[in-house]
Amino acid sequence: MADARRCSVALRAWFRESLPAAGNARRLGVLTLIQSLGLGVFLTSSAVFFTRTLGIPAPRVGLALSVAGLCGLVCTVPIGRLADRLGAGRVLAGNFLLAAAGFTAYCLVDGFAAFLAVACAIAVLETSAGALQASLTDALVGEAARVRVSAQMRSLFNLGFLGGAALAGAAIAAGTATALYATVLANAALQLVSVAVLLGMRLPAGAGPRAAAEAPGGVLRSAALRDVRYVAVSLVCGALELYQPLLTVGLPLWIVTCTDAPALLVSGLLILDTVLVLLFQVAVSGGARTPAGAARMLRWAGWALGASCLLFAVSAGHGALLDSAALVAGALVLVLGELYQASASWGLSFGLAPAGRQGEYQAVFSLGRGLQQFAGPWLMTSLVVGTAATGWLVLAAVFALLGLAAPPLVRGLEKARARTEPAPAGGRPDHMCHTRTTETSRRAP
């Protein structure tokens, strides 16, 4: 009875920490749950839907999705600048409306050309949505709470994704075209629900016009892309996110082709990763509320991810029990690096972006993630499967070096900003490149 009471108290405490506060923060959490539910449904079933229901050959699916990924990268920054002009909420609502139309259009595809066109359109919308939601988070909850709310949203994302994956699994098990069409249309419907949630949020007035005045040149010219140090930080952070294809592509292939561990461990490690992120992301994020703290956390992320690769490297050829133990140990260390990297990415992307320019700078920061998504699967299959243990050692070195590079890059960026930005009235220099977000700066001019 006492143990049950302690578990109940711990569970309630976790819910208090992980559930965003009432108001706009909680609406953001609801929005995240809706989006992750749809993404879980779609991503889990999409490969089967594309190849079996639409009849697109697997190699052509891969080609189309790669081209679509490049389209998403090209369009993200202009969309981010548009969000600074019009407001992230408005642009994100338009994004969701177009996504609903795009997913519905998948059900009308009758050939490769149509499939490519729809895939490219959806990739543009999905790639830009992350930056738009980050910009919206900053506008709604402010500097003090944005990292914590982002961590809460990531926990909720994992919860929704698990639910969506379970629903998609049922559709795949049914094995009918109707069930698979239903998963796509369900995702389209969830985009419309997301629009309704957005309409219930109270956005600060005037942020878009002020951003337009501070960032001349139109939506196609980006000052953030010319901010070389910021771009370097974003690329380092994005490269450390290679843990995603490592976990979903490299490690499963390694387990089934090179180790004596049971194939069931593939899904087991993915579930373990998802649950641990759900439980601990909010707790870990506290150290990333300043750029300096986030940079240190990024260094720890590199070291942890490198250590996980070393454990994976020794997980082959020792029998099912020892190989499984090494794989589980490596997965646990990888989760630690994942938690650090995600937390650091929020602290850096928010804290190093000038006030009123979150849409543009968040879009530029997402380019590192986009490059990882484009090149990561190929890199994992080439290194991990192609070169076996040597590939894991190369990845370990890359992660460690990226982690070491993060703090000096961030310090250099902050020093450069301090030299070039004028001091405010009173003679005291502003800190962290205009990261203070006040109600005055959000009011209409």
Side-chain angles (χ1 to χ4, degrees), residues 229 233 295-296 299 401-415:
R229 289 183 174 87
V233 171
R296 288 192 297 272
R299 180 177 59 200
L401 291 173
L402 289 170
L404 286 172
L409 281 175
V410 173
R411 285 195 299 269
L413 174 56
E414 291 192 292
K415 288 178 180 178

Side-chain angles (χ1 to χ4, degrees), residues 3 39 50 63 69 73 105 157 193 196 217 235 253 283 292 297 317 344 373 427 433 437:
D3 289 341
L39 195 63
F50 293 153
L63 173 63
L73 285 177
F157 180 92
V193 176
L235 291 177
L253 290 175
M297 195 166 281
Q373 291 170 342
C433 61
T437 306

